[in-house]
Amino acid sequence: MKTSTDTMALYRDDDDEQIIEPVGYDFGLTRRTFVQVLGAGLLIAVAAPSIAQAQESGVGGRRRGGGGFTGSSKPVPLDARIHIGKDGAITVLTGKVEGGQGARAEITQAAAEELRVPVDRVTLLMADTELCPDDGFTAGSRTTPSTLPSIRSGCAAARQLLEKWRGGDESKTYADLAAADAKSLSQVPGTDVQITPTSEWKALGKPTARPNGRDILTGAHKYPSDIIRPGMLYGKILRRPSYGAKLTDVNTDAAKAMEGVDVVHDGDFVGVAAPNTSIAKAAIKAMEDSAKWDQPPHPSSKQLFEYLKKNTKGGVPANPFADEVSGAAKSLRAEYHVPYVQHTPMEPRAAVAEWDENGKVTVWTATQNPFGVRRELANAFHVDESTVRVVVPDFGGGFGGKHTGECAVEAARLAQAVKQPVALQWTRAEEFTWAYFRPAAVIECQASLDASGTLTSWHFVNINAGRPGVESPYRCEKKNQQAVDSAPPLRHGSYRALAATANNFARESFIDELAAATGKDPLAFRLDHIEIDRLRAVLEEAAKQFGWSDRRAKQRDANVGVGLACAMEKGSFVATCAEVEIDPAKNVARVRRVVQAFECGAITNPSNLQSQNMGAIIQGLGPALREAMVFEEGKIQNASLWKYEVPRQADVPVIEVYLVNRPDLSSAGAGETPLITLAPAINNAIFDATRKRLREMPLRLA
Amino acid sequence: MQGVEAKFTVNGKPVSVTTDPNRSVLEILREDLQLTGTKYGCGEGACGACTVLVDGKPKFSCSTLLSEVVGKKIVSIEGLASGETLHPVQQAFLDEGAYQCGYCTAGMIMGAVALLEKNRKPSDEQIARGMNGHICRCGTYSKIVAAVRKAAEAMPQATEAKS
């Protein structure tokens, strides 16, 4: 087997365009599979545009449902969306995954809403490539604006089917319909589908707990790493000692001699399958001792930012408004830095792979991209995608870090060789080293102001991290906003909110610098330049709830500061006020209070939205204050939760989240945007306390 | 490594395994006893996901060897509820929605049970300190404190945790 170091090219994930990878399938419904899994009943298939078409529409939220044919003669693929058992059990199918962000509850609510049944009547079957429609990546805050409309129109169509069939006889139920019509495997509903208006919502808009919450709390839920198959062995992989290292020699004899151990050596890939993890580890250890590697030089994190600038593709772009700057009343220039950080989901990568006698492979794994992983497996083994099944049980956290299928491929390679199911769970150190990272960034900012303190030119260049969040919401006639590539020394990929965190850290800190340069209050300076009402509304709400004006006016402790930041991203709006206290003895900043206002249109599940906001604030706290990957000679130096310190209970400040509900607007995704204003709000508060401007995450005073 | 027979109880049931005594309790629970409710998070006692009770005391099962639990009583997440009735801590986590992905939750709950067995009326600060060994990457910390507080109120009427 060849191993490829640039698999990320396939999933290059700088922004939403990542998801456009067209899926040219024509869904082949096989009655047998559905009956096996769901029992006899009525399967309702909904015509769906391809993922590409959905993306092209820009909103992805256009109403789906409708006829089986487009204007052309080409059939539109059919997505099996709803299964109604003869016993009345309702199963809704989606290719989306649940990794803790709340998709299971939200999609169940949406289905119940349109089927007009209680939420607990609906079971959601998620992310089984054999059964579920391809709803694309679970990423980019797309579940709410893209998948929900699709689920809703499909379920509304099913409801219409029932209504038409029963012809006014209210005593007839979905079970009766299924029993009466069970002969037909699929039923394509008509085109005139009406979804429930927000004002009439009964299931959506209400706080809704995760449907399988009880199983989580009793230990009954099977995460990908908990899957056990008959005759299953435990795998381990011989990892390279450093980035880019090539295996030149390895002695596998000692490992092979161990009882129950199978060694799989295929090019650079060396792994074992063993009766338990301890034996697998011992076998790998035996080979590590003999393995010889070519280790190329690799830059150190100490030189990271210089390295990224030096390797900028096409050179670092110059400010096209240099003349404006030289003639301006005031101008400022600053460079901001954001290091590599990692998602650190509680469940490291895991997969169980099993091949059947016909050469078909099933892999249970954690991924945000089940159909992409199916493709990855098909490519790796040179088989047709129809012989690969990927099943994604609800898993232990993704945060953008589980878009790829390397662990699935590794498990499948071992299972193929030993002809038995193999479980592979990466260790925390493997996850820290060989999973991917949030891209590091150098951000160059330059702006000019006229005598009244109004922005006259804006130059903003992100090197390496990407485009999301690069566009400023502040009014300025002359704007140059760019994202340029570099030569990233580490494997990088998606992360919750992508580059929007880096770009908003730089912009919102730099805006504060400009406000200070004009002598204006940071809130007033922003409001002077904001034209977007929804952004203004969250900023004003956060400032009001925080008591911004009073806090600014009051004589304060020398070691306490307040700061704010606001942003818009993925169709939602956020503003954060933070209060920090400097500990002069330790010279560190402690965040005492965070007040956040957030608006994402009509709120679908208020309790989950609250959790997502709180969680995003906590997750943002880590890279703001402490998290950064340290690497030297191609080795990650802090690949341990003792050394890479994520936020813990004792780090949690007082957090107040104010959700602004806009039932008059369509619902936008909300998993990412609540993260992006935390770091700059803290940075601005540190400046307020110390008059010292920091320009690098994590925010270290010394 | 020669297998050695080790006897102990898990969730009230006597168990005997013959294996390498240097394997971790986490691995024995998950791989030999197929009790997968206890999770691997870091393998070095830094995250708390693998917490179980050993003779009533919280232990990181990833860093506890089989040889250390011979003759002892282990309680894992699977052993907390009595039939359909959840343990007050589980019920409080459910009521407060104090979980998101839920992967840390088994360890969190076991840690909270141990905390409340020692101190039935912890302050929020004591809860935060007591639970600081448990990482939740979804950032559910505030709701976890609320759940532990709620469980504390429910616990005096509850039966002692099974051992």
Side-chain angles (χ1 to χ4, degrees):
Chain A
M1 181 167 117
K2 278 191 225 162
T3 53
S4 162
T5 50
D6 62 356
T7 48
M8 287 305 290
L10 192 59
Y11 300 114
R12 172 84 185 164
D13 195 11
D14 282 348
D15 52 49
D16 270 341
E17 287 158 16
Q18 58 172 322
I19 312 176
I20 296 187
E21 186 94 8
V23 179
Y25 72 93
D26 191 346
F27 199 76
L29 299 176
T30 58
R31 184 180 177 86
R32 198 173 143 259
T33 316
F34 278 95
V35 171
Q36 271 174 354
V37 178
L38 300 169
L42 174 66
L43 189 71
I44 298 171
V46 182
S50 71
I51 305 286
Q53 283 170 311
Q55 288 293 325
E56 238 168 68
S57 75
V59 291
R62 279 211 310 224
R63 240 179 51 195
R64 294 187 187 181
F69 294 87
T70 54
S72 75
S73 58
K74 220 177 154 198
V76 169
L78 292 181
D79 283 345
R81 268 285 179 226
I82 303 140
H83 180 271
I84 300 169
K86 285 181 173 176
D87 56 355
I90 299 173
T91 306
V92 173
L93 302 112
T94 176
K96 288 288 178 186
V97 304
E98 174 62 67
Q101 82 282 22
R104 184 176 286 283
E106 192 192 30
I107 295 173
T108 305
Q109 285 174 275
E113 182 69 58
E114 302 303 340
L115 290 165
R116 305 270 157 84
V117 297
V119 168
D120 60 12
R121 279 278 314 279
V122 177
T123 302
L124 195 65
L125 202 160
M126 301 179 84
D128 179 334
T129 60
E130 193 95 336
L131 298 170
C132 301
D134 183 355
D135 288 313
F137 279 67
T138 302
S141 292
R142 301 306 302 171
T143 299
T144 299
S146 295
T147 310
L148 238 54
S150 170
I151 295 283
R152 290 180 64 190
S153 56
C155 290
R159 187 190 72 234
Q160 278 187 346
L161 213 66
L162 172 70
E163 281 165 3
K164 202 173 140 199
W165 174 77
R166 70 184 176 189
D169 180 355
E170 298 281 326
S171 71
K172 288 182 175 164
T173 64
Y174 286 109
D176 300 327
L177 170 67
D181 207 4
K183 266 183 283 177
S184 71
L185 172 67
S186 63
Q187 183 79 47
V188 182
T191 52
D192 51 341
V193 175
Q194 293 295 324
I195 59 168
T196 311
T198 310
S199 59
E200 290 169 28
W201 279 359
K202 290 187 179 62
L204 284 167
K206 306 286 184 293
T208 303
R210 185 167 163 179
N212 55 350
R214 197 185 167 93
D215 286 349
I216 303 269
L217 300 167
T218 57
H221 172 67
K222 300 294 177 207
Y223 289 79
S225 50
D226 299 335
I227 300 293
I228 297 173
R229 300 294 298 168
M232 188 176 87
L233 299 173
Y234 293 85
K236 242 205 203 286
I237 308 297
L238 177 68
R239 297 292 174 197
R240 289 173 279 160
S242 61
Y243 274 82
K246 289 258 181 280
L247 184 65
T248 56
D249 189 38
V250 63
N251 185 334
T252 59
D253 294 347
K256 278 178 182 159
M258 292 181 180
E259 201 181 331
V261 171
D262 277 301
V263 175
V264 183
H265 183 183
D266 184 350
D268 257 11
F269 178 90
V270 183
V272 300
N276 64 48
T277 297
S278 288
I279 296 174
K281 259 189 218 166
I284 290 292
K285 178 77 180 55
M287 292 190 288
E288 263 169 5
D289 294 342
S290 76
K292 292 193 173 50
W293 305 86
D294 261 350
Q295 298 185 54
H298 191 268
S300 147
S301 49
K302 286 186 198 119
Q303 287 97 44
L304 174 62
F305 302 111
E306 284 312 310
Y307 182 88
L308 290 175
K309 280 201 285 185
K310 210 175 96 192
N311 288 285
T312 301
K313 302 262 161 69
V316 179
N319 186 351
F321 309 121
D323 291 348
E324 186 74 40
V325 170
S326 59
K330 270 201 175 82
S331 71
L332 280 185
R333 181 175 199 154
E335 182 180 305
Y336 284 83
H337 296 162
V338 179
Y340 286 107
V341 297
Q342 204 185 52
H343 321 74
T344 329
M346 288 310 295
E347 183 181 32
R349 281 163 164 67
V352 171
E354 179 174 328
W355 296 78
D356 71 12
E357 64 279 10
N358 302 318
K360 181 170 177 172
V361 63
T362 300
V363 183
W364 293 261
T365 191
T367 177
Q368 296 171 245
N369 185 17
F371 289 84
V373 169
R374 181 177 70 171
R375 194 162 52 240
E376 213 174 312
L377 282 157
N379 290 342
F381 294 97
H382 301 273
V383 296
D384 193 83
E385 281 184 42
S386 63
T387 66
V388 180
R389 178 180 190 177
V390 173
V391 183
V392 183
D394 293 12
F395 59 90
F399 316 116
K402 289 179 178 168
H403 285 3
T404 52
E406 54 282 303
C407 183
V409 173
E410 290 165 356
R413 183 65 187 88
L414 294 174
Q416 185 190 42
V418 301
K419 299 184 170 58
Q420 271 171 277
V422 173
L424 177 66
Q425 180 164 33
W426 284 22
T427 63
R428 179 58 61 189
E430 286 177 301
E431 183 77 19
F432 263 128
T433 307
W434 301 109
Y436 53 85
F437 303 92
R438 185 172 77 183
V442 172
I443 298 154
E444 298 205 337
C445 317
Q446 191 170 27
S448 57
L449 299 149
D450 66 17
S452 71
T454 301
L455 280 171
T456 55
S457 76
W458 178 259
H459 171 70
F460 188 93
V461 176
N462 181 313
I463 300 167
N464 193 56
R467 209 163 55 81
V470 85
E471 275 163 32
S472 163
Y474 297 105
R475 187 181 57 245
C476 178
E477 276 187 20
K478 293 175 176 168
K479 283 185 187 175
N480 178 46
Q481 308 172 125
Q482 286 176 270
V484 291
D485 287 338
S486 182
L490 298 186
R491 180 189 182 201
H492 73 196
S494 281
Y495 185 106
R496 193 177 190 180
L498 299 169
T501 299
N503 284 323
N504 280 290
F505 166 66
R507 176 170 49 250
E508 285 297 296
S509 299
F510 189 56
I511 284 285
D512 238 57
E513 294 196 56
L514 292 164
T518 62
K520 286 190 186 175
D521 179 89
L523 174 62
F525 184 82
R526 283 176 173 80
L527 291 174
D528 284 350
H529 288 89
I530 292 176
E531 285 171 319
I532 300 149
D533 290 342
R534 293 171 73 182
L535 183 59
R536 174 181 289 269
V538 290
L539 181 56
E540 287 176 337
E541 175 71 4
K544 185 182 98 185
Q545 299 290 355
F546 185 75
W548 177 261
S549 307
D550 287 353
R551 294 300 312 271
R552 289 281 298 180
K554 220 166 57 183
Q555 188 67 33
R556 273 167 288 141
D557 182 329
N559 290 316
V560 175
V562 295
L564 54 74
C566 63
M568 47 190 273
E569 182 66 20
K570 307 266 196 295
S572 59
F573 300 81
V574 63
T576 306
C577 296
E579 176 185 312
V580 303
E581 181 180 13
I582 310 296
D583 179 342
K586 292 182 190 155
N587 209 16
V588 294
R590 175 170 168 77
V591 181
R592 293 209 299 205
R593 182 175 173 226
V594 173
V595 172
Q596 185 152 299
F598 181 73
E599 189 257 291
C600 59
I603 297 173
T604 56
N605 185 353
S607 53
N608 188 60
L609 184 59
Q610 187 80 14
S611 288
Q612 281 292 293
N613 264 268
M614 302 283 274
I617 290 166
I618 302 290
Q619 193 151 64
L621 207 56
L625 296 179
R626 287 201 298 247
E627 292 173 35
M629 301 315 306
V630 179
F631 51 97
E632 194 73 57
E633 293 175 348
K635 294 183 182 69
I636 302 294
Q637 303 292 315
N638 53 348
S640 153
L641 284 168
W642 289 120
K643 293 177 183 164
Y644 184 93
E645 294 181 85
V646 298
R648 288 175 180 268
Q649 190 69 260
D651 299 311
V652 178
V654 174
I655 301 174
E656 298 160 46
V657 173
Y658 297 92
L659 303 175
V660 180
N661 193 17
R662 290 291 302 271
D664 55 316
L665 298 172
S666 60
S667 307
E672 305 184 270
T673 308
L675 187 87
I676 62 182
T677 40
L678 192 79
I682 294 170
N683 194 21
N684 296 339
I686 291 172
F687 175 75
D688 186 47
T690 63
R691 312 314 289 175
K692 191 179 163 196
R693 176 59 65 181
L694 302 179
R695 296 190 182 90
E696 187 170 308
M697 287 170 70
L699 299 161
R700 289 186 181 123
L701 292 164
Chain B
M1 172 62 70
Q2 281 297 324
V4 172
E5 188 185 19
K7 291 182 176 177
F8 50 99
T9 75
V10 178
N11 301 328
K13 287 185 199 128
V15 167
S16 165
V17 292
T18 301
T19 186
D20 174 359
N22 291 319
R23 291 172 66 202
S24 72
V25 170
L26 175 67
E27 193 180 311
I28 300 294
L29 287 173
R30 292 179 55 82
E31 298 181 9
D32 296 42
L33 304 177
Q34 309 208 336
L35 290 170
T36 53
T38 307
K39 306 301 184 207
Y40 168 88
C42 70
E44 49 180 353
C47 79
C50 66
T51 303
V52 296
L53 303 182
V54 177
D55 284 352
K57 294 208 170 59
K59 292 278 178 203
F60 297 135
S61 63
C62 75
S63 327
T64 304
L65 302 180
L66 176 61
S67 59
E68 296 174 70
V69 299
V70 171
K72 298 196 172 165
K73 293 170 178 165
I74 297 176
V75 178
S76 71
I77 188 70
E78 292 93 341
L80 276 190
S82 311
E84 286 301 296
T85 310
L86 295 179
H87 185 281
V89 174
Q90 290 172 310
Q91 189 63 51
F93 270 67
L94 187 64
D95 294 344
E96 292 294 321
Y99 58 94
Q100 289 186 65
C101 82
Y103 193 81
C104 70
T105 308
M108 281 285 175
I109 288 175
M110 300 313 290
V113 169
L115 175 77
L116 293 173
E117 288 300 338
K118 254 177 39 189
N119 179 1
R120 286 293 168 103
K121 283 192 173 162
S123 64
D124 283 2
E125 207 188 311
Q126 286 171 324
I127 295 171
R129 225 181 15 246
M131 299 298 288
N132 207 44
H134 296 266
I135 294 172
C136 168
R137 282 298 284 155
C138 300
T140 320
Y141 292 126
S142 305
K143 288 188 176 180
I144 289 166
V145 172
V148 177
R149 204 190 303 132
K150 187 169 184 166
E153 288 159 17
M155 285 270 284
Q157 291 87 36
T159 52
E160 297 291 308
K162 284 183 296 183
S163 54

